[in-house]
Amino acid sequence: MKYIYMSRLPLILSLMGLCCLGGCDMDLEEEVYSAETSENFYQNEDQVMAAYVMPYAFMQNLYDGGHFSLQELSTDEVVAPTRNGYEDQNGAWVRLHRHTWTSSDVWILYEWQNLFQAIGYSNYFLGAMEEQDLSGMDLPIAKERMIAEIKLVRALHYYWALSTFGNIPIVTSVGESSPATRSRQEVFEFIEQEILENIPQLGEKGDANWYGHFTKSAAYALLAKLYINADVFTGTPRWEDAISAIDNVLGANYSLDSDWSTPFLVNNENSNENILVVPFDASNATGFNFAEQNLHEEILFAKYNVEYYGWHKYSTQESFFNLFAENDERIEQWVVGPQTFINEDGEEEPIWSWYGYEMVVTPQITALQSDDTGWDEGAMSIKYEVEVGGLSNMSNDMVLFRLADMMLLKAEALMRLAGGEATSEAVDLVNQVRARNFEADAENAQYTTSNLTMDELLDERGRELAYEMHRREDLIRFGKFNDEWWEKSASAEHRQLFPIPATVLTANPELEQNPGY
């Protein structure tokens, strides 16, 4: 049940202007845009619940607000070619692909703004709750659990900021002026402490109002992400701690879905393996326009009867598409080959492009920047099910953490502890995830300890987790992020972090720019 976004949405929208931190004027200081304050606002259950879910609701900006672009377009997975004069956001997508971005790039600014605005909404709620007496209210969730959840939401955004920007400020209350840069080690320790201290107060899957909220399992999943990347973040590996955190998830009430696509269906609230999602609804909680950004308009209209402009902004790089074997069912997440639809008479017809030729989608892309790059070049993703007759805004919930990722991360940690060699336990974990995608007797269905290398594990993570915003971290962790790939030269190591946006540095001279920028 998508409780947190549906019944409280009108109040959430009224609260969105109440305060912000970082995103309103780009200087990490809050501005109040309403006469409402914590002293006169929290007078009833609806007001408290609306403020509590506001940090969750703001996460609906993740897909279309910069986060997806930075985590995917900077990798070998996703690319946004300039084709037939298509607008390229003043070269932003090309710079992300080629690792030539600057501190003035607007999508980097959007990422910074959104991360710290979410932190600001969290701080506002947490500050207001400190002295708030809620004992007379009939709330569906205890005050202690609400506080713990919002601290985890804040920790999640600090985690993304740590991963994306490195050395960042730590702000825990509304009103802190010009906070200074803190080291990656300090930020890592802050996030770790926030998670560990608040896990006991969290609910778990199956509890009332658990869906779309931070549960104990979601907190352990975030902790696992923190520990698996500890060597990158701090220079100190934490492989054993990553395994311990993951084991807490594996011991909870989750299981792999029988089909790879189930976690991404329109009704993916029924998935058994999704641990934390951002709920969306085409009418009441909009903003997830995955199909619109990935599919061409003619395909979106003819095949899916969605009467909306399809951008085909995102394409999959050919080398990444080629990671998928023909007998791997996960290859079905890509639109390739001749495109057809069923007409009113029940007959199959070809789909025609704007330019009068039948659409045959190819994995090959002519060039990153060329008017000769056609609209049928580059495999298109339909990993999130496209609802026939649906809307441009989709009702699929966006997946942040799921069980398959945790299992592959545990396999990775085990292999790193073994000097990069596959252990039998690591192979078993990967094969469990892989089994649902192949016929049991297929020659390439199972890995062994001899052919599951670290490079192969990275490829398998790519196949399983494509378009889920993990690829940038994975490439960095496996030492591949700065490699040369299609239409990209090898890049400098400092590109593993994005720069602090120039306007943010101007507004707050206490911040320090990342090296290399």
Side-chain angles (χ1 to χ4, degrees), residues 158-413:
Y158 268 118
Y159 170 82
W160 283 327
L162 171 68
S163 173
T164 304
F165 294 104
N167 304 319
I168 56 173
I170 298 175
V171 184
T172 58
S173 62
V174 174
E176 293 186 39
S177 178
S178 300
T181 299
R182 306 285 283 273
S183 71
R184 259 184 143 180
Q185 180 71 44
E186 290 177 287
V187 180
F188 181 98
E189 292 172 356
F190 168 75
I191 297 169
E192 180 185 27
Q193 181 177 352
E194 286 283 279
I195 298 171
L196 292 173
E197 287 183 353
N198 288 283
I199 285 176
Q201 288 77 45
L202 295 170
E204 189 53 287
K205 179 182 179 182
D207 293 347
N209 304 314
W210 76 274
Y211 187 75
H213 292 240
F214 254 102
T215 60
K216 288 181 172 67
S217 292
Y220 279 118
L222 176 57
L223 191 63
K225 287 287 190 180
L226 185 70
Y227 287 148
I228 204 74
N229 290 293
D231 194 19
V232 173
F233 293 163
T234 70
T236 303
R238 300 283 294 271
W239 312 123
E240 295 94 339
D241 291 329
I243 291 171
S244 178
I246 294 166
D247 282 343
N248 279 285
V249 180
L250 300 184
N253 187 26
Y254 296 90
S255 59
L256 291 174
D257 290 318
S258 59
D259 192 282
W260 71 268
S261 65
T262 301
F264 311 100
L265 297 178
V266 174
N267 298 312
N268 57 344
E269 62 266 28
N270 298 316
S271 168
N272 293 314
E273 72 177 82
N274 287 342
I275 299 167
L276 181 64
V277 302
V278 178
F280 282 91
D281 180 83
S283 300
N284 297 305
T286 61
F288 193 42
N289 58 350
F290 187 91
E292 176 188 340
Q293 297 214 35
N294 283 280
L295 295 180
H296 184 271
E297 179 182 23
E298 298 300 333
I299 294 176
L300 197 59
F301 175 73
K303 184 172 288 189
Y304 298 103
N305 193 28
V306 176
E307 297 188 30
Y308 201 82
Y309 181 79
W311 303 353
H312 192 194
K313 179 174 89 176
Y314 297 133
S315 293
T316 300
Q317 290 190 48
E318 181 183 359
S319 60
F320 188 82
F321 173 81
N322 288 338
L323 294 178
F324 292 78
E326 290 185 2
N327 66 334
D328 184 343
E329 291 186 7
R330 292 171 298 190
I331 203 169
E332 296 171 1
Q333 67 188 282
W334 309 117
V335 174
V336 290
Q339 296 304 297
T340 62
F341 73 103
I342 305 300
N343 65 21
E344 294 178 353
D345 298 324
E347 300 171 338
E348 188 175 25
E349 285 189 32
I351 296 175
W352 294 80
S353 78
W354 292 327
Y355 300 96
Y357 55 81
E358 295 183 18
M359 292 201 73
V360 181
V361 179
T362 66
Q364 299 80 25
I365 303 172
T366 297
L368 183 61
Q369 291 177 289
S370 174
D371 286 346
D372 294 329
T373 299
W375 288 102
D376 54 357
E377 294 186 28
M380 308 175 196
S381 176
I382 50 171
K383 185 164 191 173
Y384 283 92
E385 180 189 22
V386 183
E387 185 176 10
V388 176
L391 303 173
S392 62
N393 290 301
M394 302 168 69
S395 294
N396 318 57
D397 299 333
M398 185 175 68
V399 180
L400 297 182
F401 299 140
R402 62 186 178 99
L403 185 64
D405 181 21
M406 294 295 109
M407 296 172 70
L408 295 178
L409 286 180
K410 182 175 181 180
E412 178 186 338

Side-chain angles (χ1 to χ4, degrees), residues 56 119 141 212 270 416:
Y56 282 115
I119 290 168
I141 302 175
N270 298 316
R416 291 190 185 277

